[in-house]
Amino acid sequence: MLTLKKRVLIIGGGPGGRFSYIALRRMGEKSLSIVMNEDPTVICSLPYSVGRKLIPGGPEEEVVDLANSDRLPPEIVEDAIRGVITELDAENHIARGMSTEGPFEIYFEKVLLAPGAVPWIPPVKGLLSDKEGYKQDLTEVMVGREYVSKEKLAENIFVMRGADDARALDAFAEKSGRAVVVGSGAIGLEVVEALHDRGLTVTLVEALPHLIAAMDQDMAEKVNDRLSEWGVSVYKNIQLTEVKPDRVILSDGREIETDGVVFATGVRPNVTLAQSAGLSVERGIVVNEKMQSSHPDIYVVGDAAQIRDAVTGRPILPLIGTLAMRQGLVASFNIMGQTMSLPPATVWGLSAIFDLHWGSVGWTEELANASDIQAFSLTLPYYTREKAMPNGKEGLWKIIVSATDEKGLKKGQIIGFQVVIDGESPLFLTERFIDIITRRETVFELFSHYFVHSPYHNTVEDPYLMLLFAAQEAMTH
């Protein structure tokens, strides 16, 4: 059995784990191992690799070649182990696992745990194959409350989380004519467009009353309309109950003919190893501002790390790759003895569907109401050109504002932002509202955010002042 002694062991090869490796190497750490269970890739780009419109070369273009990467230190070829950690003995500082070459154990001083999240699939009939003798896979999904090897999924069932998932869906798209996508988050919608681009007839099924849980219904309806314009059938407020080889059955008895089903129904943090190691686990693995777990020598970054929401102080799982990289830097600094804390964070998302771009930050009005947070919303039309220019596109901003000083919030505090714009990216706008919301700014502090006018890019009306005036009026009634 392979036995190694390393000062730092990184478990997980996603964005948090890989960036932590880069950071530690840059800071001079030479005694490292990183264990990864699948080909490293840029997860958010995988749907586009299946669509092949923006990434013509397909999924292989998004697989990170460790030996020839311009982002990773060359030493990673020697430091990386393809496998899984099956036991983390925190007390004795030993990790045991299984690689493609056989069993191994690593003695460590510090662990940087980046186990990520696994695709979650509702436990519907027909998901699992009844074949025997399948080969144990290194990757898993969660069906209901049970972890299941991806190898056990039926041949017409797909998820989108890793390189092998994209490869499988890419091959499916090459030979198929119909698909059902379940789930309307960013990944689900991007898969819808990808399969549509490949010429498939696509149907979208969503269990919630409207698409995109990260947005309110009034904003999400614009996405719904765009899907309809492009010929995508949308079923909302309904569940898929059974998958058959050539069709699916919905909870109202209707059937949809299909060659395959893609489940984009969210993910669950992979906390199995943390629980067995005795770490504090709630919704995710509990960490402090240094990304340190309940064990002083184990740090946690990425989708499994439970942090505090900057808006409310409540525990959240942001599930954001770029945030995982920031967390990895924070953990790496602290492992190297240099104190660093994670800046305030919340949830955010940004995507596009058939050139309709949308973004969200923080809390929706619907979620605030369901959580007994008294809030109101303001919407503002937005234009990407001066109105006299015929090639301008329309959009809509929405902010959610705390109406009281209760539950740790300030009256007038902006707790959420949403945007939908046709044909133009709201990237920088979304980033600005991440700063506004995580700094707990109120609508009155919008006055400190300057507005740049250019007829080619917007109208002359200052949107921040317009929102400020609307908020003042709303709060006096």
Side-chain angles (χ1 to χ4, degrees):
M1 180 171 64
L2 176 67
T3 300
L4 300 172
K5 292 185 179 180
K6 299 289 182 176
R7 198 180 90 80
V8 183
L9 168 62
I10 300 172
I11 302 174
R18 294 202 306 274
F19 192 82
S20 298
Y21 180 87
I22 295 171
L24 288 166
R25 275 286 178 185
R26 283 181 175 273
M27 287 187 276
E29 182 56 64
K30 296 181 179 179
S31 182
L32 281 168
S33 279
I34 177 169
V35 179
M36 52 184 70
N37 66 342
E38 58 184 326
D39 290 334
T41 186
V42 182
I43 296 173
C44 296
S45 298
L46 292 178
Y48 300 102
S49 74
V50 173
R52 290 182 174 255
K53 181 170 68 175
L54 297 178
I55 305 177
E60 298 308 321
E61 293 291 319
E62 290 304 309
V63 176
V64 179
D65 182 353
L66 298 183
N68 297 291
S69 172
D70 58 358
R71 302 175 182 174
L72 295 170
E75 295 87 354
I76 195 170
V77 175
E78 299 297 326
D79 292 337
I81 298 173
R82 178 70 179 267
V84 293
I85 298 294
T86 56
E87 179 185 353
L88 183 59
D89 184 343
E91 182 178 352
N92 296 302
H93 288 66
I94 305 173
R96 298 181 177 89
M98 180 66 67
S99 76
T100 53
E101 305 297 324
F104 65 90
E105 63 179 11
I106 301 175
Y107 290 79
F108 61 83
E109 294 180 24
K110 304 285 185 182
V111 162
L112 198 151
L113 186 58
V118 298
W120 179 82
I121 303 176
V124 303
K125 187 176 179 181
L127 283 179
L128 303 182
S129 170
D130 56 3
K131 67 180 180 181
E132 297 181 358
Y134 69 90
K135 182 179 178 180
Q136 180 66 40
D137 192 15
L138 295 178
T139 58
E140 296 179 313
V141 297
M142 181 173 274
V143 178
R145 295 173 177 263
E146 180 184 359
Y147 287 96
V148 176
S149 171
K150 284 183 183 177
E151 287 287 325
K152 294 193 71 174
L153 293 176
E155 292 184 359
N156 62 336
I157 302 295
F158 303 90
V159 293
M160 182 58 69
R161 187 67 181 174
D164 286 342
D165 300 329
R167 290 170 177 138
L169 191 58
D170 183 62
F172 165 80
E174 185 69 25
K175 63 183 181 181
S176 304
R178 302 164 300 181
V180 169
V181 177
V182 185
S184 65
I187 293 293
L189 292 174
E190 289 160 9
V191 168
V192 166
E193 183 169 0
L195 295 176
H196 185 278
D197 286 344
R198 295 292 293 273
L200 279 72
T201 299
V202 185
T203 300
L204 177 62
V205 177
E206 172 55 64
L208 297 176
H210 66 77
L211 305 183
I212 313 180
M215 302 183 78
D216 290 312
Q217 182 165 354
D218 55 340
M219 302 292 281
E221 282 302 315
K222 299 183 181 303
V223 174
N224 200 130
D225 293 343
R226 180 56 56 94
L227 289 166
S228 297
E229 291 168 6
W230 281 76
V232 176
S233 298
V234 178
Y235 293 76
K236 296 176 291 186
N237 207 24
I238 196 166
Q239 297 180 354
L240 188 150
T241 58
E242 184 175 357
V243 179
K244 291 180 175 290
D246 62 347
R247 69 193 61 221
V248 297
I249 301 176
L250 304 181
S251 52
D252 64 358
R254 282 182 291 179
E255 298 185 2
I256 304 171
E257 294 184 353
T258 186
D259 300 313
V261 183
V262 184
F263 282 93
T265 41
V267 297
R268 297 293 184 270
N270 193 345
V271 298
T272 304
L273 196 61
Q275 289 173 326
S276 66
L279 303 185
S280 177
V281 176
E282 295 174 353
R283 294 182 61 195
I285 307 169
V286 178
V287 296
N288 60 21
E289 69 280 357
K290 298 178 181 179
M291 304 312 299
Q292 188 177 42
S293 74
S294 56
H295 190 289
D297 293 328
I298 300 178
Y299 293 77
V300 184
V301 305
D303 289 350
Q306 176 183 298
I307 66 172
R308 291 285 172 186
D309 177 29
V311 179
T312 63
R314 301 182 184 189
I316 57 170
L317 294 167
L319 305 172
I320 301 169
T322 52
L323 180 56
M325 295 164 66
R326 296 293 179 102
Q327 292 173 340
L329 183 63
V330 170
S332 297
F333 263 81
N334 286 293
I335 286 173
M336 298 299 290
Q338 303 178 47
T339 301
M340 178 182 275
S341 296
L342 184 71
T346 188
V347 295
W348 64 79
L350 183 73
S351 189
I353 179 72
F354 298 123
D355 208 29
L356 183 67
H357 301 252
W358 62 271
S360 67
V361 182
W363 288 61
T364 65
E365 187 176 12
E366 293 166 358
L367 182 58
N369 291 335
S371 303
D372 294 324
I373 294 174
Q374 296 188 45
F376 63 92
S377 64
L378 302 169
T379 56
L380 182 74
Y382 186 79
Y383 301 91
T384 63
R385 302 283 189 276
E386 189 60 55
K387 292 180 183 179
M389 297 182 178
N391 62 341
K393 301 293 181 68
E394 295 184 5
L396 193 65
W397 293 16
K398 180 175 184 176
I399 63 171
I400 294 85
V401 182
S402 172
T404 68
D405 289 311
E406 300 175 340
K407 301 185 184 296
L409 299 170
K410 298 181 290 185
K411 186 176 182 179
Q413 180 182 334
I414 301 171
I415 64 173
F417 170 75
Q418 298 165 42
V419 58
V420 177
I421 298 180
D422 191 9
E424 299 281 347
S425 169
L427 173 64
F428 299 117
L429 177 63
T430 303
E431 287 180 334
R432 171 170 273 196
F433 271 93
I434 290 174
D435 293 337
I436 289 170
I437 289 171
T438 56
R439 293 169 184 167
R440 297 170 57 85
E441 293 185 11
T442 68
V443 287
F444 306 107
E445 290 171 287
L446 289 175
F447 184 71
S448 66
H449 294 275
Y450 287 104
F451 165 70
V452 177
H453 169 57
S454 162
Y456 190 81
H457 297 95
N458 51 28
T459 60
V460 71
E461 291 87 3
D462 185 330
Y464 300 101
L465 292 184
M466 296 301 103
L467 287 173
L468 193 157
F469 297 153
Q472 286 180 318
E473 182 177 349
M475 293 174 70
T476 57
H477 288 83

